[in-house]
Amino acid sequence: MSNLIPTIKNAVKGDVATDAATQKTYSRDTSIFTRTPEVIVFPKDTADVSALVKVVAEARGKGEPVSVTARSGGTDMSGGPLTTSVLAVFTKYMNHVSEVVEEGTGGYAVTEPGVYYRDFEKQTLAHHELILPSYPASRSICAMGGIVNNNSGGERTLEYGKTERYIEEVEVVLSDGSVATFKALGPDELEERKKLNTLEGDIYRKMSALILTNRELIEAAEPHVSKNSAGYALWNVFDTEEGTFNLAKLICGAQGTLALTTNMKLRLVKQQGFRAMLVVFLKDIAVLPEIVHRVLPFNPESFESYDDQTFKLAVKFMPQMLSQMGLVRAARLGVSFLPEVTMVLEGGVPKLVLMAEFSEDTHEEALKKATEASDALKDLGLPTSIKKNERSAEKYWIVRRESFALLRKNVHGLYAAPFIDDFVVPPDTYPEFLPQLNTLLDEYKDKFIYTIAGHIGNGNFHIIPLMDMTKPEVREVILELAPKVYELVIKYGGSTTGEHNDGIIRTPYLPMLFGDKMVELFAETKKIFDPQNIFNPGKKVGGTFADIEADMITKI
């Protein structure tokens, strides 16, 4: 591909890098994989992205095995933004929020993909306390392109739903380099778009036919859980209630395999100003389903959890965790963790810490809900605590949000390996599902230790094994255990991924989850948008178990 590099440099205004240091920087995300890009492009605007895609498409048409993959924050845990070909990185230049507008009880924002969520939130909160509530736990380091293209969800998903609920419009570069805007279209508008003698028109003609022809199959295949990022969200395109057709809903969660997203319009909600948290210390997870059943009717904004291993690691690595905070805040939080330190020393660590947070317009309303939820658990005889405001609950959120980073950065000799990290099951299945899951994991207790955190209110579990990836027999566990876990998840009506997406690690399991006919529809969707397969190949469509095995890291 070296002969293509001068052409790329002449085509774009942004930077083009091929040096070894830059290649190494972008060869990893937070998954278990490594792929080294040959060329890294930092586009300055949509025109640059269009020019880059045209160069790649022309070369591909001449038989050159070249592709282009998009990357924003690089916090993906599935290998989604990894490539050995051309990588387009958006965070350097395409990092502007162009508009934040308040409308009624909410509003919207228009943003480029390279904006870090932390900066996006600062701007939306500055405008009448507006927020995108589907942010993930990596909110301090992730970017908007990943949030949209992974269809992210996080701690507030229980009440507010995932990013698919908030995406209204996307500007994209299609696989021929043309620029299109996807948004909700009424029947007449859709017919007009279908008349276009362009790739965009072809996409509208073929996608509307594909979805209408296979409507029953698509509706039956949609996972019946509160969160799903597996496959292409064909079930979201037609809104039967509104009578609209919106391909932005399909781009959301497509991992840059259908088009490259250059601008996004996202609906925002008004942030409620007061919170109170019910904390439950659970020694026996057998009672977990009953707790969830009793707490959910009080409508918590979030219902999170982390396990005893995470608890112990947080205490062990507290200095590292607090070092990134200001001195005064770190000192205050350090003192607040003294009860947890005592628990570890005395061996009284709970199996799970549950956090149900209630958000309301007044302090009294939030505290009332937390108190009522606590009262509903009294006869279970569980240790509980009510945190009356965000400051008193802060330490629990720090542990929950920072658990993966703690593992990745501080457990020497072992690697935090996300490969069964994001499945979802209906909470009603906990009594049957969880014992079987624990039995399955116990079979491998000599190969790794693991932590569990997650969104306990809607059945989304993040299991992060700590593994010695230098050992071939340990790497073999990844291909041996994952199908067993997913078979169990599917048996109980779940999804293989609630918010982290398919990427390299889960694409081969899509036939297991959806069946061959739906996978054929996914492949047809990919072909309609991207006939030459130039966008992020091997993700969503065409990924294999051999890819997983070949690209796993072998050293830390």
Side-chain angles (χ1 to χ4, degrees):
M1 194 176 68
S2 58
N3 62 317
L4 203 60
I5 295 171
T7 307
I8 293 174
K9 288 181 176 179
N10 289 332
V12 303
K13 302 182 292 292
D15 307 331
V16 179
T18 57
D19 61 283
T22 306
Q23 289 175 329
K24 183 177 180 181
T25 296
Y26 293 104
S27 67
R28 296 291 313 280
D29 53 5
T30 59
S31 71
I32 60 171
F33 303 109
T34 180
R35 285 183 178 177
T36 302
E38 190 165 345
V39 183
I40 302 95
V41 180
F42 302 89
K44 285 199 169 181
D45 52 25
T46 299
D48 259 9
V49 179
S50 174
L52 173 62
V53 171
K54 286 178 181 177
V55 170
V56 171
E58 183 179 354
R60 186 77 170 203
K62 294 177 180 178
E64 186 150 358
V66 61
S67 63
V68 59
T69 295
R71 179 180 177 121
S72 291
T75 58
D76 191 284
M77 298 170 74
S78 73
L82 301 182
T83 181
T84 57
S85 192
V86 179
L87 183 68
V89 180
F90 290 106
T91 47
K92 188 170 185 178
Y93 294 118
M94 297 183 68
N95 55 14
H96 302 94
V97 178
S98 60
E99 193 175 15
V100 180
V101 176
E102 183 186 22
E103 289 182 332
T105 58
Y108 67 85
V110 179
T111 179
E112 291 179 315
V115 177
Y116 284 100
Y117 177 81
R118 59 179 183 262
D119 300 322
F120 178 84
E121 186 181 75
K122 285 178 185 176
Q123 294 190 54
T124 61
L125 285 175
H127 291 72
H128 311 286
E129 290 294 307
L130 296 174
I131 193 170
L132 177 70
S134 61
Y135 61 80
S138 58
R139 59 189 294 184
S140 63
I141 54 175
C142 68
M144 300 306 296
I147 286 177
V148 169
N149 282 281
N150 279 326
N151 187 17
S152 292
E155 62 203 38
R156 296 189 179 184
T157 303
L158 185 62
E159 179 173 358
Y160 291 105
K162 292 183 18 134
T163 303
E164 63 191 13
R165 184 182 295 183
Y166 300 96
I167 191 72
E168 293 192 345
E169 190 174 307
V170 292
E171 176 191 81
V172 297
V173 173
L174 300 177
S175 61
D176 64 350
S178 61
V179 180
T181 298
F182 294 143
K183 60 182 180 179
L185 302 176
D188 293 340
E189 293 172 298
L190 176 58
E191 290 306 311
E192 287 301 310
R193 295 290 178 95
K194 287 163 70 174
K195 294 175 184 177
L196 295 173
N197 189 27
T198 60
L199 175 58
E200 180 184 358
D202 200 43
I203 289 170
Y204 276 112
R205 288 187 293 273
K206 291 180 178 178
M207 285 306 303
S208 58
L210 181 146
I211 293 172
L212 286 173
T213 302
N214 298 281
R215 197 161 206 165
E216 289 186 6
L217 172 62
I218 291 168
E219 290 176 354
E222 180 181 5
H224 295 293
V225 286
S226 62
K227 306 170 76 173
N228 174 66
S229 282
Y232 289 129
L234 297 171
W235 40 80
N236 285 344
V237 177
F238 268 113
D239 187 325
T240 54
E241 291 184 8
E242 298 292 331
T244 57
F245 182 92
N246 190 353
L247 288 174
K249 302 289 187 179
L250 181 61
I251 296 298
C252 184
Q255 282 198 309
T257 61
L258 303 180
L260 299 189
T261 310
T262 51
N263 260 296
M264 304 161 286
K265 180 180 179 182
L266 292 152
R267 186 161 54 86
L268 308 173
V269 301
K270 185 83 76 172
Q271 170 138 289
Q272 292 177 298
F274 298 91
R275 285 176 173 76
M277 179 187 286
L278 168 64
V279 183
V280 182
F281 303 98
L282 195 59
K283 286 281 192 179
D284 182 2
I285 64 171
V287 75
L288 179 60
E290 183 63 21
I291 296 172
V292 173
H293 177 73
R294 295 190 190 191
V295 170
L296 286 183
F298 297 98
N299 193 32
E301 181 183 61
S302 57
F303 197 178
E304 302 290 290
S305 68
Y306 57 87
D307 71 341
D308 52 348
Q309 291 289 347
T310 307
F311 189 105
K312 292 173 185 176
L313 287 167
V315 171
K316 181 177 180 180
F317 298 117
M318 195 181 308
Q320 294 92 321
M321 187 169 62
L322 298 179
S323 64
Q324 56 194 327
M325 304 169 189
L327 184 60
V328 174
R329 184 180 175 215
R332 172 175 58 81
L333 286 167
V335 171
S336 76
F337 272 109
L338 288 177
E340 282 73 19
V341 174
T342 302
M343 279 189 186
V344 171
L345 293 174
E346 295 179 351
V349 177
K351 184 65 178 173
L352 279 179
V353 176
L354 310 182
M355 308 150 52
E357 188 163 72
F358 302 86
S359 173
E360 297 295 335
D361 292 325
T362 69
H363 176 262
E364 290 75 18
E365 289 175 304
L367 186 57
K368 181 174 182 289
K369 279 197 170 183
T371 303
E372 289 174 343
S374 179
D375 290 343
L377 303 178
K378 275 188 175 178
D379 64 303
L380 299 177
L382 301 168
T384 63
S385 177
I386 293 177
K387 305 303 173 183
K388 296 182 179 181
N389 51 49
E390 289 184 83
R391 181 166 173 159
S392 62
E394 184 180 16
K395 66 178 179 181
Y396 296 100
W397 278 123
I398 288 172
V399 175
R400 171 62 186 90
R401 291 167 180 158
E402 297 297 324
S403 57
F404 179 65
L406 280 173
L407 297 174
R408 190 162 54 92
K409 295 176 182 178
N410 295 297
V411 182
H412 301 296
L414 298 177
Y415 186 79
F419 71 96
I420 47 171
D421 54 293
D422 185 44
F423 58 79
V424 188
V425 293
D428 287 346
T429 68
Y430 286 172
E432 296 81 23
F433 172 79
L434 288 176
Q436 293 180 51
L437 175 66
N438 288 330
T439 298
L440 182 57
L441 293 175
D442 282 346
E443 293 177 15
Y444 295 86
K445 61 185 177 183
D446 61 326
K447 298 290 176 45
F448 58 76
I449 60 173
Y450 60 91
T451 66
I452 301 178
H455 315 287
I456 205 73
N458 51 22
N460 187 193
F461 291 87
H462 300 311
I463 297 181
I464 311 291
L466 301 176
M467 310 177 73
D468 184 351
M469 296 293 289
T470 65
K471 296 180 178 179
E473 66 271 20
V474 172
R475 295 197 300 274
E476 288 173 5
V477 170
I478 291 171
L479 286 169
E480 183 180 318
L481 175 59
K484 295 179 181 179
V485 171
Y486 292 147
E487 183 178 357
L488 185 64
V489 166
I490 293 166
K491 173 184 174 181
Y492 285 98
S495 169
T496 52
T497 173
E499 55 197 24
H500 294 173
N501 221 292
D502 297 310
I504 299 169
I505 193 65
R506 277 178 288 272
T507 291
Y509 295 102
L510 289 174
M512 180 187 293
L513 177 61
F514 289 107
D516 291 339
K517 289 184 178 179
M518 272 302 294
V519 170
E520 288 173 9
L521 292 187
F522 294 157
E524 183 62 24
T525 297
K526 171 71 170 172
K527 187 176 180 180
I528 289 169
F529 275 86
D530 183 17
Q532 295 191 95
N533 194 26
I534 68 168
F535 287 142
N536 206 11
K539 324 290 172 56
K540 295 287 186 181
V541 171
T544 67
F545 292 107
D547 293 336
I548 296 176
E549 193 167 13
D551 294 317
M552 271 191 271
I553 63 168
T554 57
K555 60 182 179 179
I556 299 174

